[in-house]
Amino acid sequence: MAPVGPDSTGEVSVHRVMGTETEYGIIAPGLPAANPTMLSSQVVNAYAATLREGLGNLAGTRWDYTDEAPLTDARGWLVDRGSAHPSQLTDEPPVLTAEQVALAEGADPQDTAVLMNLVLNNGARLYVDHAHPEYSSPEVTNPLDAVLWDRAGDRVALAAMERIAGTPGFSPVHLYKNNTDNKGVSYGSHENYLVPRSVPFGNLAAALIPFFVSRQVLCGAGRVGIGATHQRPGFQVSQRADFFENEIGLETTVRRPIINTRDEPHAVAEKYRRLHVIIGDANLNEVSNYLKLGTTSLVLSLIERDLCPVPELAEPVHALQDISHDPSLQSTVRLADGRQVTALDLQEMYHGAAAAACAGGADAQTQDVLDRWGTLIEVLRRDPMDAAASIDWVAKLKILQAYRDRDSVGWDNHRLALVDLQYADLRPSKGIYHRLAQRGQVELLVTPAQVERAVAEPPRDTRAYFRGKCIANFPAEVVGASWDSIIFEVPSQNRLQRVQTREPLRGTAQLTERLFQESATAEDFLTRLLSGPEQRVAP
Amino acid sequence: MATQDHKATGARTEEQEDTPAEPPAAPASASDTAETQGVDDLLDEIDGVLESNAEEFVRGFVQKGGQ
């Protein structure tokens, strides 16, 4: 079936414009005092170096911040810059001081420009966000593609690590796809979903809160330690649960809310909102990631048609943490109407509504998500340990439990904490998830060959195609880019040419592939795009 | 692997020589043994890749705030 954009007239399905953002944990064990912003910029620059080798003159692309509006609240107001937490000002490029640059081993700031941002040929963005390297995937139209281009980000991170490790004078950098240092700090793995502006935000929040509180049983990554600062020993389902304090809010770094209200659509604002989901764990397991994205998109589809259950929780933040703290999945949480339900009961309500809405038939991927969702709920009810091939937290817990049995150790044992951390190590030789995958003990949804392709090629069915191909075909002339713009500098024009890409489902291969094929130069391309008959294909 | 099996069951077999043999639950114990072996094998592999000095390594994993 053809991918569809968000609308409230089509069938209930998993298809919509979506994307992921991953902030990787980062250390250089050989440089314990290294500045994390500096290390993160090493990652960006190392990846740029691998690209230059392969593609000639590829330069770092400046991010175009013109349309960023991180302080616009979906509830209808704008936060004053002065009263915002400094970390909320994501529309200002990070600045490295000369001192920080000087900390880079072997880097001579005189002859090397330090890149903080790259827009990749696959339409993704690799950049320094706060104190972490972040990969933001290109826009895709379905959860399986989201898994693929998210995995491509892990491959990009690995290539950067290998490059740094192989560069004389540089200390190896390790990247982890996790969400906490277990000492009080958390960093995000966000999802983005395009939703019609016509859906009232209050409806979204009400139906999504109980869903987000309970979906961790399917897609939590597991964590050793209880409490934001690891106050107590133990194991819990989610990496993120203990870092959330509010139900709804604009913040992403402090007083984190279950529903984030940042209203920065990166698209035609009158038509769309971008639902920015900050509560998820970073997944290594592809089935966990697929269901995280697929079930959420399905639930949004139900909300858009007023078909979604709203099992209002009495205390959502407590429920989030209570569910996370009970890997047996037996504990109950209280609904506003007084009923006591488990996380699986909640998930069953949403699954039941989606299954009913699709009873008349669904496209293949929607049916696949529905089937897997229903089956995993049953498996988790019977014995959560049977879901180790599909769910990160279960796979992690199974290993930890085996260690506890073999070595007779408690949850405060340091090796257990190390297993937790190394589960997320992105190096195939060191990462425990990757060792499980090599042993055939986890289910894979995408092949290594597909991932290699997704590292180099954009999705063909969104504006990411336009972005990726502009970067790939005109590396010298594209001087800036963002989600909804590409900036060209061509010799014949005094001014920069800014091409807006505000419709996520335009700029596709179908609309623009010929234009790219037939344009010999950037100048030619721009002329055709901006004044020629192809004008209508511009995103 | 065979050696491990022997180690795990050998002692008990000697002690139990004079007592009536318990009815062997062959299929179950065979798959249990295979499962145990798989887990042992996996833990051995993970032991081999874990960073040395777990306490120090875990303590050194300190991050600055993120989203």
Side-chain angles (χ1 to χ4, degrees):
Chain A
M1 135 174 183
V4 295
D7 69 71
S8 46
T9 52
E11 290 163 7
V12 167
S13 96
V14 296
H15 295 263
R16 77 176 55 241
V17 174
M18 58 179 77
T20 61
E21 308 166 32
T22 306
E23 289 184 319
Y24 295 105
I26 182 166
I27 49 166
L31 298 170
N35 175 306
T37 306
M38 194 65 244
L39 292 179
S40 300
S41 78
Q42 279 186 7
V43 169
V44 173
N45 286 273
Y47 193 67
T50 68
L51 292 178
R52 279 193 203 99
E53 268 178 4
L55 294 166
N57 63 345
L58 193 130
T61 310
R62 218 172 301 135
W63 192 251
D64 177 9
Y65 286 92
T66 314
D67 288 335
E68 305 250 327
L71 301 179
T72 306
D73 196 300
R75 291 167 294 181
W77 60 80
L78 184 68
V79 168
D80 174 60
R81 293 189 80 82
S83 63
H85 189 270
S87 63
Q88 283 179 270
L89 303 177
T90 54
D91 53 347
E92 289 178 352
V95 177
L96 273 190
T97 64
E99 190 185 6
Q100 285 168 332
V101 173
L103 281 172
E105 275 181 292
D108 179 357
Q110 299 308 313
D111 62 29
T112 322
V114 176
L115 297 174
M116 301 300 273
N117 182 71
L118 276 176
V119 183
L120 308 181
N121 290 2
N122 70 356
R125 181 186 184 197
L126 178 69
Y127 71 114
V128 179
D129 187 21
H130 303 287
H132 302 268
E134 173 165 330
Y135 170 88
S136 298
S137 82
E139 305 89 331
V140 297
T141 61
N142 62 81
L144 191 58
D145 280 353
V147 170
L148 177 58
W149 268 276
D150 185 67
R151 185 106 277 168
D154 298 347
R155 190 70 193 77
V156 165
L158 176 63
M161 271 192 282
E162 288 172 342
R163 177 76 188 200
I164 294 170
T167 304
F170 279 73
S171 192
V173 167
H174 301 182
L175 297 174
Y176 297 84
K177 195 179 188 185
N178 64 2
N179 300 103
T180 178
D181 69 356
N182 242 331
K183 299 166 188 70
V185 161
S186 183
Y187 32 100
S189 156
H190 299 172
E191 305 137 63
N192 298 290
Y193 303 90
L194 202 67
V195 175
R197 172 78 45 187
S198 56
V199 179
F201 192 79
N203 293 12
L204 285 172
L208 284 172
I209 287 174
F211 176 71
F212 285 158
V213 163
S214 56
R215 74 170 186 172
Q216 54 178 309
V217 299
L218 293 163
C219 56
R223 177 182 165 207
V224 172
I226 310 289
T229 57
H230 195 159
Q231 296 93 320
R232 286 182 287 131
F235 178 86
Q236 61 176 311
V237 169
S238 160
Q239 291 258 309
R240 289 279 272 176
D242 287 351
F243 297 92
F244 281 71
E245 299 170 43
N246 277 325
E247 289 173 39
I248 303 179
L250 187 58
E251 297 90 349
T252 55
T253 58
V254 290
R255 301 180 296 277
R256 291 187 187 87
I258 294 170
I259 301 291
N260 182 238
T261 55
R262 182 185 293 179
D263 190 0
E264 192 182 37
H266 298 315
V268 181
E270 299 74 29
K271 286 168 70 178
Y272 309 113
R273 69 171 85 247
R274 174 181 62 119
L275 182 71
H276 187 231
V277 177
I278 67 168
I279 200 173
D281 287 359
N283 287 119
L284 277 303
N285 188 294
E286 293 168 6
V287 178
S288 293
N289 210 14
Y290 178 58
L291 287 180
K292 177 174 73 184
L293 293 148
T295 62
T296 303
S297 188
L298 257 179
V299 166
L300 289 171
S301 193
L302 292 174
I303 296 170
E304 287 158 8
R305 290 159 186 79
D306 281 327
L307 296 172
C308 195
V310 184
E312 189 188 346
L313 288 160
E315 294 176 291
V317 175
H318 282 142
L320 172 72
Q321 285 152 11
D322 289 348
I323 289 169
S324 184
H325 296 172
D326 174 32
S328 79
L329 309 186
Q330 300 299 310
S331 71
T332 58
V333 295
R334 193 160 55 86
L335 297 185
D337 65 14
R339 278 183 295 162
Q340 295 280 340
V341 295
T342 65
L344 289 169
D345 294 337
L346 286 168
Q347 282 295 301
E348 207 157 82
M349 291 178 207
Y350 289 96
H351 175 263
C358 295
D363 64 273
Q365 197 175 131
T366 299
Q367 194 59 50
D368 185 48
V369 167
L370 267 177
D371 291 347
R372 287 173 179 276
W373 189 7
T375 303
L376 271 179
I377 290 172
E378 281 173 32
V379 171
L380 289 170
R381 278 200 192 283
R382 206 169 53 230
D383 181 0
M385 289 305 108
D386 288 344
S390 312
I391 301 182
D392 278 318
W393 73 264
V394 177
K396 189 184 277 183
L397 177 57
K398 208 167 177 177
I399 292 167
L400 292 164
Q401 200 53 55
Y403 262 98
R404 281 162 49 78
D405 293 344
R406 187 191 71 178
D407 301 345
S408 305
V409 292
W411 282 113
D412 54 355
N413 182 273
H414 298 295
R415 281 173 78 80
L416 300 188
L418 185 57
V419 168
D420 184 10
L421 175 58
Q422 255 183 270
Y423 183 87
D425 190 323
L426 289 175
R427 294 169 298 169
S429 58
K430 285 290 194 179
I432 294 173
Y433 165 80
H434 286 289
R435 302 303 289 215
L436 289 174
Q438 286 154 32
R439 295 171 66 97
Q441 295 188 2
V442 296
E443 185 178 355
L444 303 177
L445 299 178
V446 295
T447 66
Q450 287 175 311
V451 176
E452 287 304 323
R453 229 180 106 82
V455 166
E457 291 285 327
R460 295 175 59 83
D461 54 1
T462 67
R463 65 183 175 190
Y465 180 83
F466 185 81
R467 184 185 313 121
K469 289 296 170 190
C470 283
I471 302 281
N473 292 9
F474 312 117
E477 291 86 2
V478 174
V479 296
S482 74
W483 302 118
D484 50 13
S485 71
I486 311 284
I487 300 176
F488 287 85
E489 184 174 25
V490 290
S492 67
Q493 301 286 330
N494 292 329
R495 294 188 311 149
L496 297 177
Q497 307 286 305
R498 186 166 187 266
V499 180
Q500 291 217 317
T501 57
R502 305 190 73 194
E503 281 290 349
L505 288 172
R506 295 182 68 81
T508 60
Q510 197 188 1
L511 291 172
T512 64
E513 190 167 32
R514 273 191 57 192
L515 183 60
F516 282 108
Q517 284 166 353
E518 291 169 1
S519 305
T521 64
E523 203 124 359
D524 184 18
F525 176 79
L526 278 178
T527 306
R528 286 161 179 263
L529 183 71
L530 299 175
S531 58
E534 287 94 345
Q535 193 171 10
R536 313 267 336 143
V537 306
Chain B
M1 294 304 120
T3 338
Q4 274 184 357
D5 281 351
H6 190 69
K7 247 194 300 188
T9 57
R12 205 186 328 136
T13 312
E14 277 169 36
E15 280 169 23
Q16 290 173 345
E17 238 160 39
D18 291 339
T19 62
E22 283 173 36
S29 76
S31 78
D32 281 358
T33 310
E35 166 126 18
T36 312
Q37 222 174 69
V39 171
D40 288 348
D41 197 35
L42 172 63
L43 293 192
D44 286 348
E45 182 177 330
I46 296 175
D47 282 338
V49 303
L50 284 181
E51 306 282 355
S52 50
N53 197 341
E55 182 174 2
E56 195 186 323
F57 196 89
V58 167
R59 200 189 308 125
F61 184 73
V62 178
Q63 300 294 292
K64 284 256 170 70
Q67 298 216 35

